[in-house]
Amino acid sequence: MRSYLLGESKPTKKHMRQNIIFLTFFGLFFSCNQSDKKIANSESVSQTVRNDTTSNKPKRQIIIEELKRLQAVFLSNDKQKIADIFSFPMSNETLSIYIDNEQFNEQLQNNGNIVTRNMFTGTFADVSVSLQIDQINQLFKNLSVDKLLNNDNIEYDAIIKTEPCYHYYGVKIEKQLVTLTLGMNSNIDFKSKSVSEDEIPENDSSICEHVLWWVFTFDGKQLHLKEISGAG
């Protein structure tokens, strides 16, 4: 038992109770403070890991994800979403839209060969045929873009023996360019049963052969439409 010096007051029960409360409060405060620091440190580490994961994602994987994003947009057939792929206004020399629509062509002439978003969405039914958006959907249906993880070029020929022409599709990655190819070619094995008035076989190259290229540039994060061009 502790002895007390002369003049030193013996602590009362009230003082002892106050000391116990103070020590308990201090202990709880210290414990909570340490827990908060651990949580904060944990969140900081988690955030760093997420950022590192994003920044270290392989370039090819990001391109594949972007192609899948485009696939979903085209498949939606939503003219506003598809219009978002384009950076309007754009020169028609870049887009290669050729349609039999008097209003569109008149506006195009008045605009100095510039296509606006309203022109695009206002005549989308015709524009989608000109740009072969339906064939883009067939491209994604017949080609697995996941194969681009280990290949720079994937192709598919949709040959039907009983048809004079066939469609072919391709996706090619070359440095920062990604090209979607939509083409048609002659089925050389097709036996033409009839010819045109000019005696041209049904599978003649003048009828079957043409191609359209959608070219995108990759900026490290997204694909951006560069141009659309064709031949045939």
Side-chain angles (χ1 to χ4, degrees), residues 12-30:
T12 65
K13 290 183 178 180
K14 180 179 180 181
H15 289 156
M16 293 177 67
R17 187 164 55 250
Q18 288 176 341
N19 288 338
I20 292 172
I21 292 173
F22 173 77
L23 290 173
T24 302
F25 174 78
F26 180 78
L28 289 172
F29 175 78
F30 180 79

Side-chain angles (χ1 to χ4, degrees), residues 53-69 149 218-223:
T53 301
T54 302
S55 61
N56 292 333
K57 184 177 292 186
K59 167 187 169 182
R60 188 59 61 91
Q61 184 61 48
I62 300 175
I63 291 177
I64 290 172
E65 290 174 1
E66 275 294 284
L67 285 170
K68 289 181 178 180
R69 178 183 66 83
L149 193 61
F218 180 63
D219 65 2
K221 294 181 179 180
Q222 289 185 312
L223 288 174

Side-chain angles (χ1 to χ4, degrees), residues 54-96:
T54 302
S55 61
N56 292 333
K57 184 177 292 186
K59 167 187 169 182
R60 188 59 61 91
Q61 184 61 48
I62 300 175
I63 291 177
I64 290 172
E65 290 174 1
E66 275 294 284
L67 285 170
K68 289 181 178 180
R69 178 183 66 83
L70 290 175
Q71 177 182 6
V73 170
F74 284 120
L75 191 59
S76 73
N77 201 38
D78 186 313
K79 62 184 180 182
Q80 298 297 342
K81 290 181 180 179
I82 294 175
D84 288 338
I85 295 173
F86 301 79
S87 300
F88 294 111
M90 297 181 71
S91 169
N92 200 39
E93 292 182 4
T94 301
L95 297 180
S96 302

